[in-house]
Amino acid sequence: MPNIIYLPSALGAIKTHHLHDVDNDTRTYPYAAPSAIASITGEPLSRVRDAVRLVRFGAGWVHRSRSPIINYMSDTDIEETMRALGYVGEWHDVAGYPTLAAYLKHRTGIQKSHPCIVFLTTHCVAVCGGLFCGPANNGVMVDIDRAPERRKRVNGVFVVTHRIGAAHIPSKVPSRKKPDHHTAEEKRMIKERDRLFREAVKAETGATRIMVTSTEVFIIRPADTGWTWCGARDGVADSLLKLQEHGWIRGNTDAAAAYRTAMGY
């Protein structure tokens, strides 16, 4: 278990019938579980992601060259991250796997008044009283009567019950940018490799648009209504370079071959 030290803070009761709009102060896609936690706690998304890293890897994660990517979170991740941020609760089963609309209409007791992370078919959302917050509405609170995805099935609920002392959440201090000593030819090669990488991803996935951050790759395909997460940047590059038998990036297109040649493979 990571060595997490909890600090004194305001203990006891929490706000009922209250959520926050998600403060996405990152440049990455706001995944469902971190967003639900951010909506309940009011913490910016960057601090929530740092709390997940603390729970998963311990305080030493800040010494890694790159911050670990946070997207999927297990039930244990969610509970321990909430605890690190100073919130504890209890798991409730939901009989019959009702639709979200039916669950919101018929919930009673603590599930109706307290902040809850509600687990749907494919992801989770935040609900509290008459308020709803989820990825389908971009982390903005709406009335439960306007909640999207009302036909998805509910299979469990984590109910936040009270506050405890929060942990110290370490954060990676941005490193000072090193001077660029590349020659003009080296800069041209870096730019060309980046272009070939993008073209290879498009060819492999059938994407019409691609967005590449320092750690992740997102695409839009003809049938998509928004950005789809393609994978971690290092993982996508590795798939292009080493050829894969399975997955949507196998590295067997001409564009992928051109990228491998440029990278010296």
Side-chain angles (χ1 to χ4, degrees):
M1 288 291 292
N3 181 23
I4 301 176
I5 301 174
Y6 292 90
L7 303 177
S9 68
L11 308 181
I14 62 167
K15 282 187 176 182
T16 57
H17 303 277
H18 182 79
L19 289 177
H20 303 81
D21 289 336
V22 176
D23 178 10
N24 185 4
D25 59 341
T26 72
R27 300 180 64 182
T28 58
Y29 179 78
Y31 291 97
S35 294
I37 294 172
S39 181
I40 290 174
T41 63
E43 298 284 359
L45 197 57
S46 61
R47 181 170 164 82
V48 172
R49 288 157 58 93
D50 286 347
V52 181
R53 296 180 179 113
L54 172 67
V55 166
R56 285 184 179 175
F57 308 106
W61 75 265
V62 296
H63 303 301
R64 298 189 176 198
S65 57
R66 285 190 176 182
S67 299
I69 296 170
I70 302 301
N71 39 54
Y72 171 79
M73 292 178 65
S74 68
D75 293 354
T76 301
D77 287 337
I78 290 172
E79 183 173 3
E80 291 301 315
T81 299
M82 290 292 289
R83 178 177 291 274
L85 292 169
Y87 294 77
V88 293
E90 55 195 33
W91 294 96
H92 289 194
D93 294 327
V94 179
Y97 300 103
T99 63
L100 176 61
Y103 167 77
L104 293 174
K105 182 178 180 180
H106 298 294
R107 65 205 160 115
T108 58
I110 194 173
Q111 290 188 33
K112 191 169 185 179
S113 59
H114 282 56
C116 298
I117 298 178
V118 179
F119 291 80
L120 305 180
T121 311
T122 57
H123 60 281
C124 60
V125 297
V127 174
C128 188
L131 299 173
F132 173 96
C133 186
N137 52 304
N138 297 316
V140 177
M141 285 186 300
V142 296
D143 188 273
I144 58 170
D145 292 333
R146 296 170 51 209
E149 305 176 308
R150 297 173 63 84
R151 303 184 74 173
K152 287 189 177 294
R153 297 286 175 175
V154 175
N155 52 41
V157 178
F158 180 74
V159 184
V160 182
T161 56
H162 59 281
R163 296 292 307 272
I164 62 170
H168 168 66
I169 310 295
S171 181
K172 186 184 285 290
V173 178
S175 58
R176 182 174 298 175
K177 186 176 180 181
K178 297 180 180 179
D180 187 353
H181 296 304
H182 293 298
T183 65
E185 177 61 18
E186 288 172 337
K187 290 179 180 178
R188 187 194 68 78
M189 289 181 62
I190 291 171
K191 186 175 181 179
E192 177 65 7
R193 287 171 178 169
D194 181 68
R195 184 188 70 80
L196 291 173
F197 174 79
R198 293 168 180 268
E199 292 300 322
V201 173
K202 284 185 177 180
E204 292 285 325
T205 62
T208 55
R209 294 181 62 190
I210 178 172
M211 177 173 62
V212 182
T213 71
S214 60
T215 57
E216 298 174 286
V217 178
F218 300 87
I219 58 173
I220 293 180
R221 294 165 294 183
D224 292 338
T225 57
W227 291 104
T228 297
W229 186 67
C230 186
R233 181 170 180 165
D234 290 348
V236 172
D238 193 59
S239 296
L240 291 171
L241 295 174
K242 296 183 179 179
L243 295 176
Q244 309 294 313
E245 294 184 4
H246 306 286
W248 60 358
I249 296 183
R250 302 186 182 184
N252 55 9
T253 60
D254 291 341
Y259 175 67
R260 284 195 296 275
T261 300
M263 296 298 291
Y265 280 72

